[in-house]
Amino acid sequence: MIELKSAAEIEEMAASGAIIHGLFAEIERRVEPGVSTLALDAFAEEFIRSHEGAVPLFKGQYGFPGSLCTSINAEVVHGIPSDARVLAEGDIISVDVGVRRRGWCGDSARTFAVGEVSDQAGDLMTVTKRALAAAIKATVAGKHVGDVGAAVEAAVHGSGFHIIRDLVGHGIGRELHEDPQVPNRGTAGEGPLLKAGMVLAIEPMVAVGTWRIRTLEDGWTMATADGSLSAHFEHTVAVTDHGPRVLTGPRERIAPALEMGS
Ligand code: MG
Ligand code: MG
């Protein structure tokens, strides 16, 4: 069942989202060669808990040990922070984070370049970021969930890159994962009708060489089957009567004026 959120509830979710937006600004400054993913995770947990009533949403969710998912290079999602994973020049790292504050959740992800990265890695990040922006623009009352996926597909089409098919976005609210599922592929006009009050976590994942993924031996990390690079950008987005509202971005930023930061 797709639960609609009131205007007041969406404001609560925006407050959770603002913490995430602020956290990413800090993480961006800390992503550099020599930093471990566990150090980023420790910083993130402290940052989140420094906001009254806010807790890291992922920690303990389904048994996940971290506050962040930190996925490097071929890792797509759900990488576990570790002091043995140290960032190196030329890596890309996808950081995914959730916050719950006063009962309301936010979920967002960004892929960062560690120092100078290859042109291919840069292109992959650009294409994935653009796919998210296109998907957000399609998150409009009266359209359908299929329009969102179709927008991702159109944005990635022609790049030569591949949309990860087996992982999807989701509704979000009091829980991290609510109905509906939001696939990164679709047909305009199909799927559940988008209505004001729906809040969706939209999260294209795009890889260089394949759409296929595999689970690594830790039982959590999902990586590309061919070892090629993968990028991930995600925002929590409310459907409103005035268009899509990004709850995990700068406050009051509404597509199509969307920019997603560097
Ligand atoms: Mg996420
Ligand atoms: Mg998500």
Side-chain angles (χ1 to χ4, degrees):
M1 194 195 80
I2 301 174
E3 186 189 304
L4 300 183
K5 280 75 179 179
S6 70
E9 289 167 345
I10 288 172
E11 290 306 323
E12 292 284 356
M13 295 183 73
S16 299
I19 296 170
I20 295 177
H21 181 65
L23 173 61
F24 272 133
E26 293 295 326
I27 291 202
E28 183 165 35
R29 292 170 45 204
R30 286 167 171 77
V31 167
E32 58 183 13
V35 172
S36 76
T37 54
L38 190 66
L40 294 176
D41 187 70
F43 171 79
E45 178 166 5
E46 188 178 347
F47 182 94
I48 292 165
R49 292 190 192 280
S50 74
H51 296 78
E52 192 175 351
V55 295
L57 176 58
F58 294 174
K59 193 157 190 150
Q61 180 96 226
Y62 314 117
F64 189 78
S67 296
L68 301 179
C69 295
T70 50
S71 307
I72 299 173
N73 294 334
E75 297 169 356
V76 181
V77 290
H78 302 166
I80 299 173
S82 164
D83 58 5
R85 297 301 302 279
V86 176
L87 300 179
E89 178 81 18
D91 283 344
I92 59 173
I93 177 173
S94 298
V95 178
D96 194 350
V97 63
V99 165
R100 179 182 269 136
R101 176 187 166 275
R102 290 169 38 149
W104 292 97
C105 299
D107 182 14
S108 185
R110 280 170 67 175
T111 300
F112 298 94
V114 184
E116 291 286 318
V117 300
S118 68
D119 289 348
Q120 187 180 61
D123 289 347
L124 178 69
M125 290 192 290
T126 299
V127 165
T128 311
K129 195 187 291 189
R130 282 189 189 147
L132 174 57
I136 292 167
K137 282 186 198 174
T139 307
V140 172
K143 289 184 183 263
H144 294 255
V145 168
D147 290 80
V148 178
V152 173
E153 276 192 273
V156 175
H157 185 77
S159 68
F161 299 141
H162 301 261
I163 297 166
I164 303 296
R165 298 181 186 176
D166 294 344
L167 299 169
V168 299
H170 48 93
I172 181 170
R174 286 192 177 277
E175 298 302 328
L176 172 60
H177 293 132
E178 298 185 353
D179 289 337
Q181 289 198 343
V182 184
N184 291 308
R185 307 189 307 154
T187 302
E190 294 190 353
L193 179 65
L194 297 176
K195 298 177 187 169
M198 283 187 191
V199 183
L200 306 177
I202 302 171
E203 48 182 316
M205 291 146 272
V206 180
V208 167
T210 183
W211 57 266
R212 291 187 171 84
I213 53 175
R214 66 193 180 95
T215 305
L216 301 188
E217 283 174 4
D218 63 20
W220 274 106
T221 312
M222 315 283 276
T224 55
D226 65 353
S228 66
L229 295 176
S230 181
H232 182 201
F233 286 86
E234 175 181 30
H235 272 309
T236 296
V237 181
V239 181
T240 79
D241 291 327
H242 313 289
R245 178 178 171 193
V246 177
L247 303 182
T248 44
R251 286 193 77 85
E252 302 307 322
R253 190 70 67 90
I254 292 177
L258 179 78
E259 287 176 39
M260 294 181 40
S262 56

